Amino acid sequence: MKLPHILLLTGVVLMAAAFAVPLLFGGRAALHGELEAELVTAGELHMATAHSHDDSQSATAHSPEEELQHRIDAALNRGQTTASVLKWVGIGVAFTGIVMLTRNRSRKEGK
């Protein structure tokens, strides 16, 4: 197997890996872990605030909700940067392999 074929195959594998990374490290798998952690935290917060009926607690009620939303968004987007890098590197490597194959064929036809 020659270098252009190896580059083309490597590029295709990298592009395929770009689709697998978000599925393995982000999305529902990461969201499930974040939601389990949030249930534990919410239970502890509920137990702590159940005994106190102070109005100062209601002022901070939005902070945990905002934090949860931030953690959910981060869990859903986890792996997207890595997938993007893999995709573009794969495209570049595959394109280099295609260019090298085209040049090799044109040289062989020119002889």
Side-chain angles (χ1 to χ4, degrees), residues 37-52 56-58 60-68 71:
E38 181 58 29
L39 285 174
V40 170
T41 304
E44 292 172 355
L45 181 64
H46 176 71
M47 293 304 289
T49 59
H51 300 293
S52 73
S56 65
Q57 293 292 334
S58 63
T60 62
H62 296 289
S63 178
E65 291 172 359
E66 291 172 358
E67 183 180 331
L68 172 63
R71 287 181 14 209

